[in-house]
Amino acid sequence: MTTILAIETSCDETAAAIISDGRTIHANIVASQIDLHAQYGGVFPEVASRAHTESISAVVGQAMDEADLEYSQLDAIAVTQGPGLVGSLLVGVGFAKGLALATGLPLLGINHLEGHVYSQWLADGFCEPAFPIIAMIVSGGHSELLLMRGHGRYQRLGGTIDDAAGEAFDKVGRTLGLPFPGGPAIEKAAQCGNASAYAFPRAKTDSAYDVSFSGLKTAVMRAVTLQPKDRSHRQRRAENHAQLRDDVHIPDVAAAFQAAATDTLVNAAYCGARDHAASALFVSGGVSANKLLRDKLRDRLELPIHTPPLFLCSDNAAMIGAAAHFRYLAGLRSRLDIEARARWMLSEDVYAAG
Amino acid sequence: MILLRSNSPAATSRLGRKLGALLTAGDVVCLSGGLGAGKTCLCRGIGVGYGAQTQLTSPSYNLVHEHRRAQYETRLYHLDCYRLGNPQAAQSLGIDDILDGSGAVIIEWAERIEPFLPSERLWIDFDIRGESRRDLHCQAMGDRHISLLADFLRALESDAA
């Protein structure tokens, strides 16, 4: 049995988990900063970094307590090395390096996106897939479509050419005055909305595997905010946010936006799966919690659709531990001088350079 | 103040390509205008014109994206202040290091960190005039950016001719 302590601090969550054999969760602790950022209506990189620093030791300690393990019973320490906010990543990477040095355990620097892919391995009853599979990662910071040919073998098929899927949900949610994060808020508002009340566009991209949400976001803005002819240029500049029209029915906008956004994602996933004879589609990341997206994928694709359990859709360390397990089995180890990598695409050579 | 017109996202991206080809270390391009005005679209073009090896996408979530091109050392920093809580938060992004003149810098939602921006810069403010029509108000401050704007306009003219 291989048991790994995993640490994740790439963005708003300070997380630690202990995983055996890439499948069994002994502990999964997430200290979220969402309340902190929502309270002030924005992200403060320094505050985020400080909050990680303040909580990481306690979060790791709590994970070890819950798993009822000593460091001597672990096989490795894994940490999210990137991509993400550099100040936040540094906290986790620094802590993991120190721990590896102190315990003598091997260190594994893990790509956050690969973690999202491996969140599937932690689902109840998950069976090892027959590769190739298509992996779609949809979150606040990422929208990636990947062909996965084996453990650690990725080919990037496409992704967003402008805004990430979760970012579009957040920006539309914020414009509509809905609470942060926008994804769950829009999904909830859409329940009593009419999706055909607005005809929002489904963007066409040069590659069928790419997605675009910028045009959709613009169309929503135009439909729900006061148009520039109503106000002077100077007046508009003075405001931080566009003003909502009085006649906007928020549930309808939410439903129509959600319908368009999910159509765009379903289409890219469909094309990827069709062209590469994939045996399954793995959807992960925060947006994969969206029920309409899950339902539409099941309707459109004649393939098994795997989604992680809801508590593993958003950022967590358990998925980092699952990804690390397969790295560990392959004999890969990171040096103790690894650095945080703010930008790090998941591709075939993702660990070759590590 | 120079006014440029765009009638489509593709036209905005073309403007970006022309500007991106001219950017060198020390250039600072500030972008403002509401959601959906075309800031990221212009940036995508800037990345292509600059020769960035990675595609420019929205940095709203990660706040800063760093791009490189094959032949030159100069980095292209792409910032987005949409999610920033207040102007002071820009300091913790390492804005001083980013603006140290070693790279070219483009900043979306720049008005949110105005107190921390250098006085010499090219500012492009987007005005949404219609479904896909946008007015781009360009203003250059300082000799360096005045000549950058002049070169940009010349490049557009030679393209039109």
Side-chain angles (χ1 to χ4, degrees), chain B residues 46-161:
Chain B
I46 288 176
V48 174
Y50 183 80
Q53 290 175 303
T54 36
Q55 193 174 42
L56 267 70
T57 55
S58 170
S60 291
Y61 196 74
N62 282 334
L63 310 172
V64 186
H65 285 169
E66 192 181 311
H67 300 271
R68 298 173 198 212
R69 50 183 167 184
Q71 309 92 326
Y72 306 98
E73 275 299 292
T74 312
R75 307 272 169 91
L76 176 65
Y77 294 99
H78 183 193
L79 276 67
D80 189 330
C81 305
Y82 175 79
R83 295 208 308 148
L84 279 189
N86 60 19
Q88 284 71 32
Q91 285 180 304
S92 54
L93 270 183
I95 188 92
D96 295 340
D97 291 337
I98 289 169
L99 290 169
D100 69 359
S102 64
V105 184
I106 44 180
I107 308 172
E108 300 193 42
W109 297 93
E111 72 276 22
R112 297 198 172 181
I113 59 163
E114 203 161 351
F116 296 92
L117 295 174
S119 55
E120 301 206 351
R121 66 221 182 185
L122 172 63
W123 198 297
I124 304 177
D125 183 48
F126 289 70
D127 197 8
I128 303 174
R129 306 294 298 177
E131 187 169 342
S132 45
R133 204 182 118 195
R134 303 287 186 267
D135 283 355
L136 281 66
H137 301 269
C138 308
Q139 190 168 24
M141 307 275 282
D143 292 346
R144 171 197 187 99
H145 290 87
I146 288 171
S147 67
L148 171 66
L149 179 55
D151 290 345
F152 178 36
L153 296 175
R154 257 196 301 278
L156 294 175
E157 273 167 25
S158 67
D159 201 34

Side-chain angles (χ1 to χ4, degrees), chain A residues 5-26:
Chain A
L5 164 66
I7 295 169
E8 148 76 39
T9 62
S10 68
C11 193
D12 295 345
E13 260 80 49
T14 315
I18 292 158
I19 304 296
S20 280
D21 295 333
R23 295 295 310 275
T24 311
I25 303 177
H26 298 295

Side-chain angles (χ1 to χ4, degrees), chain A residues 93-229:
Chain A
V93 170
F95 193 88
K97 280 190 207 176
L99 213 49
L101 202 61
T103 57
L105 291 166
L107 180 68
L108 291 159
I110 300 296
N111 181 299
H112 177 79
L113 298 169
E114 186 173 41
H116 275 301
V117 173
Y118 278 91
S119 61
Q120 311 285 351
W121 267 257
L122 299 166
D124 280 339
F126 178 83
C127 293
E128 193 68 17
F131 293 108
I133 58 111
I134 296 288
M136 185 163 77
I137 303 159
V138 277
S139 66
H142 310 281
S143 298
E144 296 285 303
L145 194 70
L146 307 158
L147 177 66
M148 187 178 180
R149 291 202 175 89
H151 289 292
R153 296 185 58 207
Y154 307 94
Q155 180 191 340
R156 185 176 187 270
L157 298 178
T160 184
I161 62 164
D162 38 57
D163 296 1
E167 177 186 339
F169 274 89
D170 282 337
K171 284 182 171 172
V172 167
R174 195 159 160 177
T175 301
L176 295 176
L178 297 172
F180 181 84
I186 284 180
E187 186 167 12
K188 192 169 167 222
Q191 281 170 358
C192 47
N194 170 14
S196 9
Y198 295 88
F200 291 139
R202 276 71 171 158
K204 290 270 177 290
T205 46
D206 291 342
S207 159
Y209 310 138
D210 282 338
V211 293
S212 162
F213 295 102
S214 177
L216 170 59
K217 175 187 71 185
T218 306
V220 175
M221 294 306 138
R222 284 192 54 77
V224 306
T225 57
L226 289 173
Q227 295 308 302
K229 64 178 185 305

Side-chain angles (χ1 to χ4, degrees), chain A residues 133-134 145-147 157 208-209 266-278 281 301 303:
Chain A
I133 58 111
I134 296 288
L145 194 70
L146 307 158
L147 177 66
L157 298 178
Y209 310 138
V266 170
N267 203 45
Y270 171 80
C271 293
R274 178 198 61 195
D275 298 349
H276 294 90
L281 173 72
L301 277 73
L303 280 180

